[in-house]
Amino acid sequence: MLLCCLGLASVSGPATAASAPRPNIIYILSDDMGFSDLGCYGGEIATPNLDALAAGGLRFTQFYNTARCCPTRASLLTGLYPHQAGVGHMVDSKKGGPGYQNDLNRNCVTIAQVLKPAGYRNYAVGKWHVTPIAKDGSEPSRHNWPLQRGFDRYYGTIHGAGSFWDPSSLVRDNRIITCVSDPEYQPKEPYYYTDAISDHAVRFIREHAQSAADQPFFLYVAYTAAHWPMHAKESDIAKYAGRYDGGYEPIRAARWAKAKQLGLIDPKWELTPASGAWEGVRNQAFEARCMEVYAAMIDCMDQGIGRIVAELKARGQWENTLICFLQDNGGCAEPMGRQGEFKPRAEKPSLPPMAPTDLQHGSTPKQTRDGYPVRMGYGVMPGPADTYIGYGREWANVSNTPFREYKHWVHEGGISTPLVAHWPKGIAARGELRRDPGHLVDLMATAVDLAGASYPAELNGEKITAMQGVSLRAAFENKPLPRTEPIYFEHEGNRALRDGQWKLVAKGPGGKWELYNMLADRTETHDLASAEPAKLKELIGKWEAWATRANVTPWPHTPPYGEATADTPAKKAKKKQ
């Protein structure tokens, strides 16, 4: 691959996806971030490396995820809607029905499984979260771990959340390790998971260039930043000292103004209502600190992406590498660690220290390795290893500027992600926007297309569900995406469909359907369900037909789907029974 890149460096003419050789492909996924957090999407957080990728490539204004961690990862990796891959909910809970087994099924393949026969080497780092893992430390099944799903190397966490200073379910290839027992990675600075993810991405690129430079590679980088707990290095937090002392509204207003100036949103849309008022906050120093730490987590991730870019350049891989950055859901309003009373830090450890091989179990550790109890409660200043706090609903509302709702829900605040795409040899545009709606399912189709791979109809005797997305190659070349089907959503009974300018959406399994014209009102402030009954009925029918064929039904929720909705085909059929 190195020789191929060097040999084509002097070719003249504009870069196009059609003329470029098969690229390396890097998909970078962050965790629990809102639409407006990045600098290049309106935010004040320092993200110079992602901003540079956007300036040298494309930003998509209407790209979508699935509103939650596990389903998004299943969809990205397989090119299917999450229920088709068996992960309609979270891997910690089996909900019933084939769409909710919450473990990757055998009727799907990962991008790595498809690209490997095409000659690609495949690497994964970071959060996996598409298969269960025991929380008691018992020996896990590895049937859906990365190496069993087509990847050649892996470093990261199988489970979904945990301390950034001492992550649970940490794995190297197929071996469970801890951050202190791993002989291959002992950084000079204190262990911090975001840095470990970045360092291993750099390592895999370097070692690939040394041992397999004649092959292209696929690298999946799944950061846990900025998922709770709010853990960050003090040196990064210090950059944001005082930045959020003025509260929610000044930051939100600045993001709204900047996003309009950048052309990411239409000035005629209305800004959604604020979630809360700063004047009523009982501990403003605590709330400001939460956002300072959140910003520091994103800042650190961006620094790591800068190191990945530098390694690509050093290894001669930069020009023919496609890098895509996106997020797994919108900002998180979950009140993790914010309930209960303030707990001060103990003067000295009160618990026995952990041995180097002792594992942290589950998402929330009970203690630090040196014996300090982990503290939750309103007013506990986040950042250090003995704290476990989320940044709260009001800051999530700021993160999701200008949209409604949050992680879990499928209104725009829950499912809208930035997508930055950069590929010097394959994308001629520099700093342009792409406004066609896209979805995670398109990333498999893009990888298959650009790699010249063959997506299988069958594998190991199992029928493989067909890809659901379209290649983004057309958007790279400034052409309309060749989408012929709507984009669909379901999570926890929250339902939506995006069909051209129209969006159908509902909250909860019994929630009333809403209808929005996204050209005129992407912030979902004017419900047209009553004004457009024919369009409402048409889109409900499309959504219900998809739900049946995509394993969204039988419905695992209470109340059953359609119970509180008016005159849907499902309800009419129920009445006839």
Side-chain angles (χ1 to χ4, degrees):
M1 189 65 187
L2 177 60
L3 294 175
C4 178
C5 290
L6 292 175
L8 290 172
S10 62
V11 174
S12 61
T16 67
S19 62
R22 296 193 306 163
N24 305 313
I25 299 170
I26 301 178
Y27 289 162
I28 303 174
L29 186 70
S30 71
D31 204 343
D32 280 18
M33 286 176 58
F35 182 79
S36 69
D37 283 325
L38 301 182
C40 55
Y41 276 79
E44 74 294 330
I45 299 170
T47 55
N49 294 294
L50 283 166
D51 296 352
L53 291 176
L58 302 174
R59 281 168 296 165
F60 287 70
T61 66
Q62 297 192 88
F63 209 81
Y64 291 113
N65 52 46
T66 71
R68 196 80 178 277
C69 307
C70 301
T72 280
R73 284 161 174 74
S75 189
L76 184 157
L77 284 166
T78 67
L80 307 179
Y81 289 105
H83 317 77
Q84 295 172 308
V87 189
H89 197 253
M90 304 295 283
V91 296
D92 298 323
S93 172
K94 193 180 236 188
K95 293 267 178 193
Y100 300 90
Q101 295 302 298
N102 301 319
D103 194 6
L104 283 185
N105 62 36
R106 293 298 165 185
N107 302 113
C108 67
V109 286
T110 69
I111 294 172
Q113 285 176 291
V114 177
L115 296 193
K116 180 171 279 189
Y120 275 68
R121 299 270 301 171
N122 300 282
Y123 309 99
V125 290
K127 176 174 171 176
W128 187 239
H129 211 203
V130 289
T131 190
I133 187 168
K135 297 180 181 180
D136 60 3
S138 59
E139 188 64 19
S141 169
R142 291 170 170 79
H143 66 288
N144 269 332
W145 284 21
L147 267 62
Q148 283 63 249
R149 280 294 192 162
F151 288 93
D152 297 290
R153 299 290 305 280
Y154 174 64
Y155 176 90
T157 45
I158 299 298
H159 195 257
S163 171
F164 283 72
W165 303 107
D166 186 13
S168 63
S169 72
L170 190 62
V171 165
R172 180 177 298 285
D173 296 329
N174 270 329
R175 180 168 54 91
I176 296 175
I177 56 175
T178 72
C179 63
V180 293
S181 69
D182 179 14
E184 294 190 34
Y185 183 73
Q186 292 297 319
K188 294 179 182 179
E189 301 296 325
Y191 182 97
Y192 184 65
Y193 188 35
T194 300
D195 285 339
I197 291 171
S198 300
D199 291 347
H200 279 82
V202 168
R203 172 181 171 176
F204 290 163
I205 293 169
R206 180 180 66 248
E207 293 179 351
H208 177 89
Q210 293 169 344
S211 64
D214 59 333
Q215 290 181 262
F217 66 81
F218 168 60
L219 172 61
Y220 173 47
V221 184
Y223 287 102
T224 50
H227 194 291
W228 48 254
M230 299 295 100
H231 281 170
K233 296 177 287 187
E234 285 296 332
S235 58
D236 289 327
I237 300 171
K239 301 176 188 178
Y240 299 93
R243 182 68 182 84
Y244 300 102
D245 289 355
Y248 316 120
E249 265 315 294
I251 304 299
R252 194 164 182 258
R255 291 185 177 199
W256 169 244
K258 185 177 176 182
K260 287 190 287 187
Q261 184 269 325
L262 292 172
L264 295 163
I265 60 177
D266 193 323
K268 71 172 178 284
W269 299 341
E270 295 179 23
L271 179 61
T272 53
S275 176
W278 190 245
E279 293 73 20
V281 171
R282 62 187 173 103
N283 189 336
Q284 293 182 350
F286 166 70
E287 293 289 351
R289 170 75 176 194
C290 285
M291 190 61 186
E292 290 171 4
V293 178
Y294 178 84
M297 296 168 77
I298 295 170
D299 188 311
C300 182
M301 176 187 68
D302 184 80
Q303 295 172 45
I305 292 170
R307 296 200 297 276
I308 292 170
V309 167
E311 189 66 24
L312 289 169
K313 291 178 178 178
R315 301 293 167 180
Q317 302 287 314
W318 171 246
E319 292 293 324
N320 199 34
T321 296
L322 168 66
I323 300 175
C324 291
F325 172 90
L326 67 164
Q327 299 162 187
D328 70 342
N329 45 248
C332 178
E334 296 165 355
M336 170 57 72
R338 299 171 62 86
Q339 298 166 327
E341 292 305 312
F342 170 79
K343 299 175 184 177
R345 179 178 170 86
E347 292 185 4
K348 59 182 181 179
S350 59
L351 299 169
M354 298 172 66
T357 56
D358 287 347
L359 304 176
Q360 296 283 14
H361 300 306
S363 296
T364 313
K366 295 180 173 59
Q367 69 171 84
T368 63
R369 288 207 163 262
D370 55 359
Y372 285 93
V374 170
R375 298 176 293 143
M376 297 184 182
Y378 192 84
V380 172
M381 292 297 190
D386 69 331
T387 67
Y388 211 90
I389 304 291
Y391 78 153
R393 182 185 185 94
E394 283 69 34
W395 286 121
N397 180 237
V398 173
S399 285
N400 291 338
T401 304
F403 299 130
R404 283 178 58 187
E405 303 300 343
Y406 312 90
K407 172 183 176 180
H408 294 263
W409 289 277
V410 295
H411 285 76
E412 293 293 283
I415 58 175
S416 295
T417 172
L419 175 64
V420 175
H422 183 280
W423 177 20
K425 275 193 178 294
I427 298 176
R430 300 292 182 264
E432 293 183 3
L433 302 178
R434 295 291 182 264
R435 302 188 187 277
D436 273 9
H439 187 275
L440 294 163
V441 294
D442 299 334
L443 297 178
M444 167 71 88
T446 303
V448 170
D449 178 15
L450 299 180
S454 297
Y455 185 90
E458 183 179 302
L459 184 67
N460 299 324
E462 300 283 353
K463 183 179 179 181
I464 301 302
T465 305
M467 286 189 295
Q468 301 298 295
V470 301
S471 173
L472 298 176
R473 178 194 291 262
F476 295 166
E477 298 174 355
N478 202 20
K479 300 173 184 175
L481 291 177
R483 195 179 307 281
T484 58
E485 276 281 315
I487 297 170
Y488 300 97
F489 306 86
E490 188 280 329
H491 184 66
E492 297 183 325
N494 302 307
R495 296 152 281 139
L497 171 155
R498 180 68 194 269
D499 190 10
Q501 73 188 66
W502 294 102
K503 183 177 177 186
L504 179 75
V505 62
K507 291 179 68 173
K512 181 182 177 182
W513 284 113
E514 303 164 20
L515 180 67
Y516 298 98
N517 181 334
M518 303 301 274
L519 290 180
D521 177 31
R522 194 177 166 207
T523 53
E524 299 169 310
T525 55
H526 298 282
D527 182 6
L528 301 177
S530 298
E532 298 279 355
K535 178 58 68 174
L536 181 72
K537 181 178 180 180
E538 173 197 343
L539 296 183
I540 289 172
K542 287 184 177 182
W543 188 91
E544 291 185 344
W546 168 79
T548 299
R549 68 177 184 264
N551 298 330
V552 174
T553 56
W555 202 259
H557 305 290
T558 302
Y561 162 66
E563 191 167 288
T565 58
D567 296 326
T568 68
K571 189 169 184 180
K572 288 178 180 178
K574 187 176 180 181
K575 286 179 178 178
K576 291 179 181 179
Q577 293 177 353

